[in-house]
Amino acid sequence: MKKLYFIIYIFIYICVSTVICLKVAQGGSSDGREADTTGINRRLINVEENWTDVSAKDKEVVSKEDSFDYTVIDSDGYVLIMTKSDMAQSVSSATSHYDIIRDVEVDGRVVGHMIVHNPAAESERARSIRYAYLLAALLAGVLILIIGYFVYINHCVVRPFHNMKKFATRIAVGDLDTPLQMDKGHVFGEFTEAFDIMREELKASREREEAAVKSRKELVAELSHDIKTPVASIKAMAEVMSLTARDDAERDTIAAINGKADQIDRLISNLFHATLEELEQLEVNVEELSSEDIRQMIQEADYMKKVSEIEISDAVIVCDKLRINQVITNIIANSYKYAGTDISVRSRYEGDIYAIDISDKGGGIPESELEVITEKFKRGSNAEGKDGSGLGLYISKYLLEKMGGGLVCTNNGEGLTVTIRVKTA
């Protein structure tokens, strides 16, 4: 409903009310009848001619033969006849009601009075009642208009305003998923769609921001973990160089290099730890790889040349090349750190699963710890006194499970075997 419609309704209501008032006023004016002088005179003559019979009556109600009501009283004020009982029955009361009083004369002598009822007072009363009804109807109409306008204001202004206020509150607290109900039938209807478009844009912007932040965190996590491998290589080379150093100055330099490598390793571990805490997941994009790719990854990860045996059967597997390389590098680096022995790598089939066993001879870990070392920030009892965050096997297992495979740790009698399980194509 628009404001113009409401103004038109008010104008129509005023016009109709004015017409009704005029009709009522005109109808009321016709109620005041002129006195029937001829009829009154005729009735008076009839009473005078029949006075002997009339004077013998005693408050007798006679039939009304004229257009007016009347009462006949004698000179003593005693009521003889009347056409109705609820009218003036004395000269004084007739005077107060503005009734017509005519003398009844017989033989030149006044023997009584005929009181003719004046209907003007009743007409006025009836007119007052009609005006009262009209006023009540007009007031009722005004009340209906007020109620209607209140309902209109509530429906088209107040309630939509509250809905938009609630919507703005939800947006302020970050609820960008609940849309604003579309309703163009109120004064805010044109803004409803714009507000919801704003919500969608804010939601899309937040999703893009979250995706960008997540991407940066994943990049930091990947780089910080992968940097640990070349740092370990630097430390290994520094240890080899320290054994062949020619003098103390050279050994001090190599020790400084080793110390800085340790410092970098700790900083990277702290960075990786803080980043991984906020990551919900690392992306995995699977593709088909051959077993020769796995062999090459193992050889590249074995920078200390401790892998003494590699038995990789021909196969085509489904995995993420970057992630599987990360897993293999991590497992071999753990073997270097915690076992320090020769490493053997063998593959086998478990149905549609291609399993790669990476085994060392470092004595293994207690059976009670086999299940927990793949959890976040968990390390075996053999890790005491050695740097590490307890995240390597956790990330490896997580990535393999994302690729549809898994990671299992078992004791082999001589040391620990970490089994990489991936799907075949």
Side-chain angles (χ1 to χ4, degrees), residues 49-264:
E49 292 176 350
N50 297 283
W51 179 251
T52 302
D53 293 334
V54 172
S55 62
K57 305 291 186 181
D58 181 14
K59 295 183 179 180
E60 182 177 335
V61 179
V62 298
S63 60
K64 180 179 177 181
E65 298 177 359
D66 303 290
S67 61
F68 53 87
D69 292 299
Y70 64 91
T71 300
V72 177
I73 62 176
D74 60 15
S75 58
D76 295 328
Y78 189 79
V79 178
L80 302 176
I81 61 174
M82 54 188 171
T83 56
K84 63 178 183 178
S85 58
D86 57 342
M87 56 181 294
Q89 297 182 359
S90 66
V91 174
S92 60
S93 62
T95 303
S96 63
H97 288 91
Y98 302 100
D99 291 337
I100 299 172
I101 304 173
R102 302 293 293 273
D103 293 335
V104 179
E105 296 181 0
V106 177
D107 297 331
R109 183 172 58 87
V110 177
V111 294
H113 305 282
M114 187 175 74
I115 302 172
V116 180
H117 177 62
N118 183 5
E122 294 179 355
S123 298
E124 187 66 28
R125 187 181 304 110
R127 184 182 304 165
S128 299
I129 293 174
R130 284 196 297 271
Y131 285 157
Y133 285 151
L134 176 61
L135 180 59
L138 293 177
L139 291 176
V142 172
L143 180 61
I144 291 173
L145 281 177
I146 292 174
I147 293 174
Y149 191 67
F150 175 79
V151 172
Y152 161 73
I153 291 295
N154 183 68
H155 177 74
C156 297
V157 179
V158 177
R159 187 169 63 182
F161 180 79
H162 284 309
N163 290 338
M164 294 180 68
K165 181 180 178 181
K166 292 178 181 178
F167 176 76
T169 302
R170 292 199 305 268
I171 293 296
V173 299
D175 181 9
L176 301 177
D177 296 321
T178 305
L180 178 62
Q181 184 178 2
M182 296 295 178
D183 184 3
K184 297 184 179 180
H186 54 73
V187 295
F188 297 108
E190 298 179 359
F191 300 98
T192 304
E193 186 175 0
F195 267 67
D196 202 59
I197 291 174
M198 178 192 70
R199 176 193 64 81
E200 293 177 352
E201 288 299 321
L202 288 173
K203 181 180 179 181
S205 176
R206 186 173 70 176
E207 289 175 349
R208 289 193 295 268
E209 181 182 0
E210 290 176 349
V213 172
K214 177 183 174 183
S215 178
R216 289 195 297 270
K217 289 179 180 179
E218 288 180 353
L219 180 62
V220 172
E222 293 172 8
L223 291 176
S224 59
H225 188 270
D226 292 342
I227 288 174
K228 292 173 70 69
T229 299
V231 170
S233 300
I234 294 174
K235 292 178 63 177
M237 293 176 185
E239 291 176 359
V240 173
M241 291 175 63
S242 66
L243 297 176
T244 59
R246 290 171 294 183
D247 51 38
D248 291 340
E250 189 173 338
R251 278 191 287 272
D252 291 341
T253 301
I254 294 171
I257 293 173
N258 195 27
K260 291 300 181 182
D262 287 336
Q263 184 179 3
I264 293 172

